[in-house]
Amino acid sequence: MKHLLDINSLNNEQILEIMNLASRFELLGFVPKLLNKKPTVAFLFFENSTRTKFSFELAAKNLNYNTLDFNFNTSSLSKGEDFFDTLNNLSAIGADIIVVRSSDDFIYEYSKKKYPYRLSFVNAGSGVGSHPTQALLDFYTIQKHLGSVYNKKIVIVGDIKHSRVAKSNIELLNRVGAKVVCVAPKCFQDENIKNVQFEEDLFLNTQNADVVMALRIQKERIEEEIDYLEYIENYQINEGNFNTDAILMHPGPVNWGVELSKELQFAKCSKIILEQAHNGTFVRMAILNLIVKGIYGSHC
Ligand code: NCD
């Protein structure tokens, strides 16, 4: 595995390998093998992040890798340096893996360029289109609770249109045989997403769900006025409409009182949301470790 750009670029064996390795890291931790060089991971986050950034950083540190934290404002990009030059210089200094989050999809273009030194890219969320590591950690979390996801009904609720988490989850969960249903008002549906059923009625569609995954309204990507009261009335998940036999998930950050009711914050069913964050470290350890295996031919 050279890069991790999106779910479609992973084959089934790689997905399985990530799941198995993540579970090994969770159960047994990491026993480092001697490598000729200590791998270095640079984090280039051009959008805010709490869970993704820190779990990637902790994952790299747990694996005994060097970490470099890039900050636009204190970097030479803010002096007008070209982004390609920045990447070339980071790799010349010693970075092996660039973990990128950005509001557009430039990771695809830059991962195709030729660098004097070998450079791998990992997508930590790009634009509205893809967030593969979130989908992989969600899949890992669902499997821990349900065993197989085959034929399980997974209902994704909310702003599907602007959510990269939704897109990557739909790709991955469809691939592994889950029945994915998206529940959203018309304005948050996306006709470009194929192979998924869109529904408007929350109650009807969540009652027999195995998993209910709520999403934050991506207000930073929406120009029109959002009618929050109408959204809350029709699409908020609360104690009245949530079937407690289902698993409640959310990639975070949660806006309690909007997509999930304030009461749910302290309910038992919400503890899986923190489990997602917890599992993210192991899944990201597995991803970084498989890329390092590709670079140095050895891993744990
Ligand atoms: C998501 C993202 O950045 O796309 N956050 C995350 O990585 N857990 C979801 C969001 O911001 O709503």
Side-chain angles (χ1 to χ4, degrees), residues 33-260:
K33 261 201 181 157
L34 277 184
L35 296 168
N36 291 337
K37 185 185 162 240
K38 197 168 167 174
T40 297
V41 188
F43 300 104
L44 276 66
F45 277 60
F46 297 101
E47 275 191 346
N48 295 343
S49 173
T50 299
R51 280 150 292 272
T52 307
K53 173 113 190 295
F54 288 119
S55 68
F56 256 120
E57 194 175 330
L58 191 61
K61 286 180 170 150
N62 285 348
L63 293 163
N64 278 331
Y65 300 167
N66 294 315
T67 56
L68 300 174
D69 193 8
F70 183 88
N71 178 323
F72 172 83
N73 293 324
T74 55
S75 76
S76 293
L77 268 184
S78 69
K79 297 183 190 171
E81 187 170 32
D82 176 84
F83 190 55
F84 185 53
D85 281 346
T86 300
L87 292 171
N88 270 325
N89 279 278
L90 284 174
S91 80
I93 290 164
D96 301 289
I97 303 175
I98 305 284
V99 178
V100 189
R101 164 168 290 195
S102 62
S103 58
D104 59 22
D105 294 326
F106 67 68
I107 187 171
Y108 293 96
E109 181 194 335
Y110 284 93
S111 64
K112 285 194 203 109
K113 290 190 192 288
K114 287 235 172 316
Y115 298 91
Y117 301 87
R118 196 198 137 110
L119 203 53
S120 288
F121 288 86
V122 176
N123 184 347
S126 66
V128 297
S130 95
H131 194 348
T133 65
Q134 180 69 42
L136 287 160
L137 77 88
D138 289 340
F139 179 42
Y140 182 82
T141 306
I142 298 170
Q143 277 191 313
K144 273 178 75 177
H145 283 269
L146 300 181
S148 165
V149 300
Y150 186 75
N151 257 338
K152 296 284 173 4
K153 183 176 178 188
I154 302 186
V155 180
I156 306 179
V157 184
D159 181 8
I160 314 286
K161 187 172 180 169
H162 307 98
S163 168
R164 52 196 177 203
V165 174
K167 316 274 171 36
S168 287
N169 261 299
I170 292 166
E171 282 170 20
L172 179 53
L173 294 169
N174 267 338
R175 172 104 74 92
V176 292
K179 290 185 284 186
V180 186
V181 176
C182 291
V183 175
K186 277 270 180 296
C187 62
F188 291 154
Q189 297 189 8
D190 187 344
E191 61 202 23
N192 298 315
I193 309 175
K194 308 287 175 220
N195 304 330
V196 85
Q197 184 188 338
F198 276 101
E199 296 289 344
E200 283 187 73
D201 192 308
L202 178 70
F203 189 79
L204 218 69
N205 285 286
T206 48
Q207 292 319 293
N208 60 353
D210 296 291
V211 175
V212 176
M213 187 184 290
L215 300 171
R216 181 178 69 87
I217 297 176
Q218 306 282 298
K219 49 183 182 283
E220 66 278 25
R221 307 185 205 286
I222 303 171
E223 277 163 18
E224 307 86 66
E225 188 90 15
I226 303 160
D227 188 340
Y228 279 95
L229 285 180
E230 196 185 331
Y231 183 84
I232 290 166
E233 194 174 313
N234 295 303
Y235 294 97
Q236 182 184 77
I237 295 160
N238 55 45
E239 281 171 335
N241 60 30
F242 180 65
N243 158 23
T244 45
D245 291 334
I247 292 172
L248 180 63
M249 297 177 77
H250 192 303
V254 180
N255 284 156
W256 298 103
V258 184
E259 66 271 20
L260 297 178

